[in-house]
Amino acid sequence: MKNPDIQAAWKYHDGTKHSCWSIRNNPHFLDWANRPQPFKIYPNIEPLPLPRDVPQTGVAALSTIAEPLPSSRADSVPDLQDLARILHFSAGITRQRKYPGGEIYFRAAACTGALYEIELYVVSSDLPGLDKGVYHFNPADVSLRLLRKGDFRGNLAHATAMEPAVADAPVTIICTGTYWRNAWKYQARTYRHFGWDNGTLLANMLAVSAASGLPAKIVLGFVDAEANRLLDLDTRREVSLCLVSVGHRSVSSLPIPREASALGLETIPLAQREVEYPAMLEMHGASSLESAEEVAHWRGKQLVLASSAPAGAEVQLQRLPEEEQPKDTIDQVILRRGSTRVFDKSASVTLAQLSTVLDCATRGLPADFLEPPGTQLNDLYLIVHSVQGLSPGAYFFRRDRNTLELLKAREFRAEAYQLGLEQQLPADACVDVFFLADLNRILERSGNRGYRAVQLEAGAIGGRMYLAAYAQRLGATGLTFFDDDVTNFFSPHAKDKSAMFLLAIGKPLKRRPQ
Ligand SMILES: Cc1cc2nc3c(=O)[nH]c(=O)nc-3n(C[C@H](O)[C@H](O)[C@H](O)COP(=O)(O)O)c2cc1C
C-alpha cells in the first residue's frame, strides 16, 4: 500500500509551488506545433448522437447549486435526454472563438488554459433510449461511443467497495484526466489542475443533476486499476480521477463483475510527441488505492478539523431573501458563464451578493470523502476590495457561524496583484477568495488520496462560486497564485495551511461602444 506514505504528496506539492523565483527561472515555452488535440477521438467507432435540443430544466440556478439533493429513496432513473443534458452542461462546447492558430472550443465549465483535459465516460444499465454499456462522451460531435457492450456496473460497485450510491445507481460517470493535454502548458502542476478542472465540471454536473431531479454523488474511493481497466486507459497518459453516481434504483439490479479484457481501440494521437512528467505519475501512483479492502478502510476514516474561537471582529453574512433572488435557470447561467477577463475596478458588489455566493458554494458537497455530511476540507480566506457594507481588508469565513472575521483592515489591491501571480484580475476584482487547507491533518487521515480530495473539493466549491456569481449577473475567474506568499499574507491565522485555489469575483468591465 502506497497511500499512507504521505511524503509523496508533500514532495509533489512542495515541488510544484509557484514563487516569483520559480516563475522567472522557468525556461518553459509553448510549443504551438506540438499543441495537444482538445478532444479524444476513437476513429473506428460509430458515434451514437445524443439529442441536442433537450428541454431546459427551468429550475432557478441558485436553488440547484446548494439545495439538498433529491431524495435517493425513490426511484429516479435518467433517460437519454437527462444524460445528454448532464454531459452537455458539464463538458459540452458552449462557445467557440477563432485565434491565429485555429479555433478554441470553450466548454460549459471553466478550465485552466482552456485545455480541457477532463474526459467523461458513462457506465450504464439499460436506460430509456440507451442500451447498457460503457461509453465515451465526445463533446465535439455531441455523441457517445460504445467501448463495451453490456452492464459493467458490478465492476464499479466492486471497485468502490460497494459504495451504496454507485451500487444503486442506474448510471455512473467516470471522469478521467489526460496529462499531456494540460501539461503542454502547465508542466508538472497539471496534477493540481486535474482536481481544479474536474471540480469546476462537477459543480455543473451536480447542479444539472439536481435540476433534473436526480441524486448524484462524487465518489473518490475506488480501486484505480479496476476503473482504468474498465476504460482500457493507457495510464501513462490518462487516469481515472473520480466517479459520479447518477440516479437511484431502490431494488438493486446490480450484475456481478464481468471480465474487462483489453480493448486495443485506436485513438487519434494527442500530439506529435508527449512529454512525461515523472512527478505526476509518482503522485498518482502514490495516491492510488489497490484493493476493495483498502477502499473500505480509506472511506471509513472521518476527518475532524480544528476550529478556533474568533479573535477579530465579525460581520454577519445574510444571503438575499428568497423573493429577491435572481430566477435565471441553471441552463441559462451555464451558457452565460465565461471567465471575466477584465474587472471594473470602480464597481462594487453588495454584502448580500457575496453572502449568497459563499452560502451556496459551501453548503456541503455530496461526496464519499466528506463524511459526516457538511465536512469541508478547504478554509476560505478573503481579500475584500469593494463590497458594500464591508471595510476593505483580509477576512476569514467562519462557515459554522456564517460570519466573516476581520483579520486586518485596509486596502490590499497591490498585495492581491502580487499574490495572484502579478495579474491585474485579482487587484481589480471586488473580492478575492483564497482556499487554504490544513494539508497535514488531511494527509494524516486520508493519505496521499487526501491530496486528490482537497484539490477536487477546491475546484468544486470554486465551480459553485462561478455559478452563484453568474446567477447574480456578476463576473468571476479562477486564478493561480504564489503558494507560500498566500499563506504568509493570511498568517498568523493561516499558519501551517497550504494554498489550494483562488477565485476572484467582481463586475466585468463593459466595453465602451467604438
Ligand atoms: C482553476 C483555474 C485557474 C485559472 N487561472 C487563471 C489565471 O491565472 N489567469 C487567467 O487569466 N485565467 C485563469 N483561469 C481562467 C481560464 O483561463 C478559463 O477558465 C478558460 O480560458 C476557459 O474559459 P471560460 O472560463 O471563459 O469558459 C483559470 C481558471 C480556472 C478554472
Side-chain angles (χ1 to χ4, degrees):
M1 281 200 307
K2 294 184 184 156
N3 189 49
D5 180 8
I6 60 171
Q7 287 317 311
W10 277 118
K11 184 176 165 206
Y12 174 78
H13 186 71
D14 289 340
T16 55
K17 281 181 176 173
H18 274 334
S19 66
C20 273
W21 188 91
S22 75
I23 294 284
R24 292 202 175 111
N25 290 287
N26 185 351
H28 183 65
F29 64 94
L30 294 183
D31 179 359
W32 287 96
N34 198 33
R35 185 170 198 254
Q37 295 282 344
F39 304 106
K40 181 173 188 179
I41 296 168
Y42 292 90
N44 300 325
I45 308 181
E46 278 298 305
L48 269 162
L50 287 166
R52 290 183 186 233
D53 295 319
V54 174
Q56 296 244 337
T57 64
V59 182
L62 286 177
S63 71
T64 67
I65 304 166
E67 286 315 297
L69 283 167
S71 159
S72 59
R73 255 173 272 136
D75 270 11
S76 42
V77 178
D79 62 16
L80 191 60
Q81 291 209 336
D82 292 320
L83 195 58
R85 183 188 299 116
I86 291 171
L87 294 170
H88 176 66
F89 284 102
S90 306
I93 298 169
T94 49
R95 286 176 289 138
Q96 63 193 78
R97 192 181 314 136
K98 284 198 185 339
Y99 74 105
E103 196 105 25
I104 301 186
Y105 298 95
F106 288 92
R107 309 272 197 97
C111 177
T112 51
L115 290 165
Y116 306 111
E117 73 279 10
I118 307 299
E119 298 284 338
L120 300 183
Y121 297 81
V122 173
V123 180
S124 178
S125 57
D126 276 330
L127 302 181
L130 187 71
D131 291 340
K132 56 189 177 247
V134 178
Y135 298 87
H136 172 253
F137 170 60
N138 184 349
D141 60 3
V142 198
S143 292
L144 294 177
R145 280 175 177 75
L146 181 67
L147 308 185
R148 292 187 194 274
K149 210 171 162 174
D151 193 342
F152 284 84
R153 291 173 308 127
N155 299 51
L156 289 186
H158 181 266
T160 60
M162 296 306 283
E163 153 67 43
V166 171
D168 297 337
V171 53
T172 291
I173 295 170
I174 306 182
C175 307
T176 70
T178 302
Y179 292 109
W180 178 242
R181 201 172 295 138
N182 193 269
W184 169 73
K185 181 169 183 185
Y186 296 105
Q187 300 175 281
R189 229 172 123 93
T190 284
Y191 205 79
R192 298 182 182 217
H193 295 199
F194 275 0
W196 300 352
D197 297 332
N198 193 173
T200 57
L201 185 154
L202 291 176
N204 287 20
M205 192 179 278
L206 294 175
V208 175
S209 299
S212 309
L214 296 162
K217 183 171 178 180
I218 307 166
V219 177
L220 198 56
F222 62 92
V223 181
D224 293 76
E226 291 183 19
N228 292 336
R229 194 175 319 123
L230 186 62
L231 305 179
D232 201 24
L233 302 180
D234 172 354
T235 54
R236 297 190 85 93
R237 297 194 160 92
E238 182 183 1
V239 287
S240 300
L241 299 174
C242 75
L243 318 182
V244 184
S245 59
V246 180
H248 176 85
R249 272 202 190 101
S250 49
V251 177
S252 178
S253 57
L254 194 64
I256 55 164
R258 303 164 57 131
E259 169 76 23
S261 49
L263 293 169
L265 295 168
E266 190 186 332
T267 55
I268 303 276
L270 200 55
Q272 290 162 15
R273 80 196 155 81
E274 299 182 23
V275 180
E276 201 171 82
Y277 290 90
M280 293 200 279
L281 300 192
E282 281 166 26
M283 177 63 220
H284 189 73
S287 60
S288 291
L289 303 176
E290 292 166 17
S291 66
E293 294 70 41
E294 189 183 3
V295 168
H297 179 70
W298 178 82
R299 194 177 287 128
K301 291 190 182 173
Q302 298 210 339
L303 182 69
V304 183
L305 289 168
S307 159
S308 54
E314 286 177 274
V315 179
Q316 192 66 46
L317 292 174
Q318 210 107 53
R319 68 182 277 179
L320 285 169
E322 190 69 35
E323 59 284 4
E324 287 175 33
Q325 285 179 20
K327 297 288 179 277
D328 293 6
T329 66
I330 186 65
D331 323 57
Q332 291 169 326
V333 169
I334 290 177
L335 294 177
R336 179 161 85 216
R337 192 211 60 79
S339 299
T340 302
R341 299 294 78 198
V342 184
F343 284 112
D344 182 351
K345 197 176 169 179
S346 64
S348 61
V349 298
T350 65
L351 184 58
Q353 287 172 321
L354 174 61
S355 305
T356 303
V357 171
L358 292 173
D359 182 40
C360 282
T362 61
R363 287 227 189 155
L365 289 164
D368 66 341
F369 58 92
L370 298 174
E371 294 290 344
T375 305
Q376 191 173 297
L377 306 179
N378 283 276
D379 292 329
L380 304 185
Y381 288 79
L382 284 71
I383 298 185
V384 169
H385 302 309
S386 186
V387 177
Q388 293 161 38
L390 269 183
S391 319
Y395 292 83
F396 176 62
F397 173 48
R398 299 199 64 102
R399 202 163 61 99
D400 51 339
R401 299 158 64 93
N402 199 29
T403 59
L404 288 178
E405 177 187 346
L406 182 64
L407 303 179
K408 45 190 175 183
R410 80 170 167 81
E411 197 175 283
F412 288 113
R413 286 194 191 267
E415 288 78 358
Y417 168 84
Q418 180 62 33
L419 296 177
L421 229 67
E422 298 178 352
Q423 298 183 83
Q424 207 52 46
L425 285 159
D428 292 347
C430 294
V431 51
D432 300 312
V433 186
F434 292 82
F435 295 49
L436 288 93
D438 185 345
L439 213 45
N440 257 321
R441 200 180 274 257
I442 293 165
L443 297 180
E444 271 164 25
R445 176 257 194 184
S446 298
N448 296 316
R449 192 71 152 209
Y451 191 70
R452 292 198 205 174
V454 68
Q455 297 286 13
L456 189 68
E457 187 205 62
I461 295 175
R464 283 184 158 181
M465 286 186 182
Y466 259 111
L467 296 176
Y470 279 82
Q472 301 181 83
R473 298 198 172 263
L474 304 175
T477 184
L479 290 165
T480 193
F481 45 83
F482 290 129
D483 290 75
D484 289 343
D485 295 348
V486 171
T487 300
N488 292 338
F489 177 82
F490 290 107
S491 288
H493 196 286
K495 190 173 140 308
D496 299 330
K497 292 186 190 172
S498 302
M500 291 290 143
F501 195 91
L502 166 57
L503 189 102
I505 300 167
K507 292 197 173 147
L509 188 68
K510 293 207 177 68
R511 290 208 187 94
R512 289 199 185 84
Q514 304 274 318

